[in-house]
């Protein structure tokens, strides 16, 4: 079981603002803002601080997928992330080639990380 994950970013302030906006539709809020360390932790709707960002000179793209409560939450994530300056990497929709009922959206952050919201449609499984 993964306790938490962290994404390296080149511009802490800009990226923190992006993630605050992009993750809000998925129930995430800023939990810790360690400005002196240029790191921030985000809490899920249950208070678990399992996603972090931290500034580094050598940020490289990774893929992180967040569970969404349904297709509306996937779309809300996508819309919020795009409005916050993300780059489209796959609009909301079914990805039947991934698995039955896989509904997701993908947005690249400022450092090329592929951030996803996914919902598994129980009717299609």
């Amino acid at each position: 079981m993964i306790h938490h994950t962290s994404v390296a970013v080149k511009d802490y302030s800009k990226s923190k603002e992006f993630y605050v906006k992009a993750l809000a539709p998925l129930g995430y809020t800023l939990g810790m803002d360690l400005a002196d360390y240029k790191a921030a932790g985000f809490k899920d709707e249950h208070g678990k601080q399992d996603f972090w960002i931290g500034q580094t000179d050598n940020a490289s793209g990774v893929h992180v997928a967040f569970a969404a409560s349904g297709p509306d939450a996937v779309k809300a994530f996508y819309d919020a992330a795009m409005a916050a300056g993300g780059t489209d990497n796959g609009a909301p929709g079914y990805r039947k080639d991934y698995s039955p009922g896989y509904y997701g959206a993908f947005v690249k952050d400022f450092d090329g990380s592929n951030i996803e919201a996914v919902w598994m449609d129980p009717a299609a499984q």
Side-chain angles (χ1 to χ4, degrees), residues 25-117:
L26 302 177
Y28 274 81
T29 57
L30 181 64
M32 291 184 76
D33 186 354
L34 305 173
D36 289 345
Y37 297 99
K38 296 187 178 180
F42 295 82
K43 291 182 183 179
D44 68 15
E45 59 198 11
H46 305 291
K48 183 178 178 199
Q49 199 158 257
D50 59 5
F51 181 72
W52 287 80
I53 62 167
Q55 184 169 310
T56 181
D57 292 336
N58 299 314
S60 62
V62 297
H63 178 198
V64 178
F66 291 90
S69 60
D72 291 342
V74 171
K75 183 172 182 344
F77 153 79
Y78 178 82
D79 291 345
M82 293 296 291
T87 303
D88 172 51
N89 198 34
Y94 283 100
R95 304 302 198 275
K96 294 179 181 177
D97 52 330
Y98 290 8
S99 67
Y102 196 108
Y103 188 92
F106 305 83
V107 176
K108 294 252 182 157
D109 73 2
F110 303 122
D111 297 295
S113 289
N114 185 25
I115 309 303
E116 174 186 4

